[in-house]
Each structure stands twice: as C-alpha cells, then as structure tokens.
Amino acid sequence: MIRLLYLSQATNLSNTQIDSILESSRRNNNSLSITGVLVVGGGWIMQLLEGPEASVIKLYAMILDDPRHSNARIIHITPAAEKIFGEWSMGLVRRNPLEFEHITALRARRLETVNASMFAETLREFANRLRAPDTDS
C-alpha cells in the first residue's frame, strides 16, 4: 500500500464540478480499495490517495489528464502500513489548503527526502483537523 499527496491549480471549478469529482471518486474508489481526502479552495486542489500501489499510481495518471486542474505535482509519496483516511472513500474539505501549515511545510520541502514516519504523523494531525465539525465527509 502507498500514500500519495499531490497539489494542483484548479481551473475555475464550479461547485457542481467539485460535487461530480466527489461522486465519481466515492463510486470508483471503493472497488479499487482507495481512500483519501480532496481539499479544494483558494484556486488549489490538494488530494491524498491511499491504497494498493498499482491502483493509486494508475488513478494519479488518470488525474493528470483531467482538464479541471493543471500543474499537478506530487508533494509526497510513501509506502504505508495503514490507512489514515480509511473511513472515507473520498472525503471533501472546502478550504484554502494553504491554511494547513504542516502540509505546506511538506510542499516547501518536496525536493528533500522526508522521513515516512514524520510524514505519516503530519498527515494524522491533518486528518484530525479535517475531522473537525466544519468539514464534509
């Protein structure tokens, strides 16, 4: 299993388009054993995918061709022993991802080697923030 976090620039996404992404993700991810969270806001899309390596890589390759965003770049990819977002086939958070200082710190260090356990702990903190009452899941 792997965990992949990417960031891209949204291309004028409407709420209807976001809902469509969420609906198809939830429908398709279950059969692929993929879970994760989609963060949308401030002109950015940030998504974390976790699941079987081949499924996550294939899905990310398909995501790269989606015209609803551009300039996608992987922030971090790592092997994972357990899922952090296991309860969400795809969660949704409508916020500005730059609010999440731990994730932006990882983005700033994306060319460095980041310890997988430190990255997992950062994501656990991120997950706890996402589970706050003002999020959609």
Side-chain angles (χ1 to χ4, degrees):
M1 184 173 80
I2 65 170
R3 190 172 292 125
L4 183 148
L5 177 67
Y6 76 88
L7 181 71
S8 63
Q9 292 175 301
T11 309
N12 297 319
L13 278 178
S14 68
N15 285 334
T16 302
Q17 289 174 308
I18 294 168
D19 292 341
S20 174
I21 292 168
L22 186 62
E23 180 183 325
S24 65
S25 295
R26 287 179 173 166
R27 182 180 58 246
N28 298 325
N29 288 354
N30 280 332
S31 64
L32 299 172
S33 298
I34 293 177
T35 58
V37 64
L38 176 67
V39 180
V40 180
W44 294 95
I45 296 173
M46 183 171 63
Q47 187 171 31
L48 179 103
L49 304 168
E50 51 190 9
E53 181 176 2
S55 296
V56 170
I57 297 299
K58 184 177 178 181
L59 178 58
Y60 181 68
M62 290 172 51
I63 288 169
L64 290 175
D65 292 332
D66 191 325
R68 295 173 289 196
H69 69 121
S70 64
N71 198 22
R73 53 212 175 268
I74 293 174
I75 295 175
H76 195 75
I77 185 169
T78 186
E82 63 182 283
K83 290 185 175 187
I84 294 174
F85 297 95
E87 72 275 15
W88 291 349
S89 58
M90 187 54 56
L92 173 66
V93 179
R94 295 177 199 257
R95 290 189 186 161
N96 185 337
L98 300 179
E99 292 173 355
F100 306 121
E101 65 274 3
H102 295 293
I103 300 303
T104 42
L106 286 175
R107 180 180 179 272
R109 298 175 58 195
R110 70 185 176 278
L111 299 178
E112 300 175 18
T113 300
V114 178
N115 179 289
S117 61
M118 186 277 293
F119 181 73
E121 183 56 35
T122 300
L123 283 176
R124 281 187 189 88
E125 290 175 25
F126 178 62
N128 289 335
R129 289 180 183 200
L130 295 181
R131 290 181 182 107
D134 64 339
T135 63
D136 297 331
S137 57

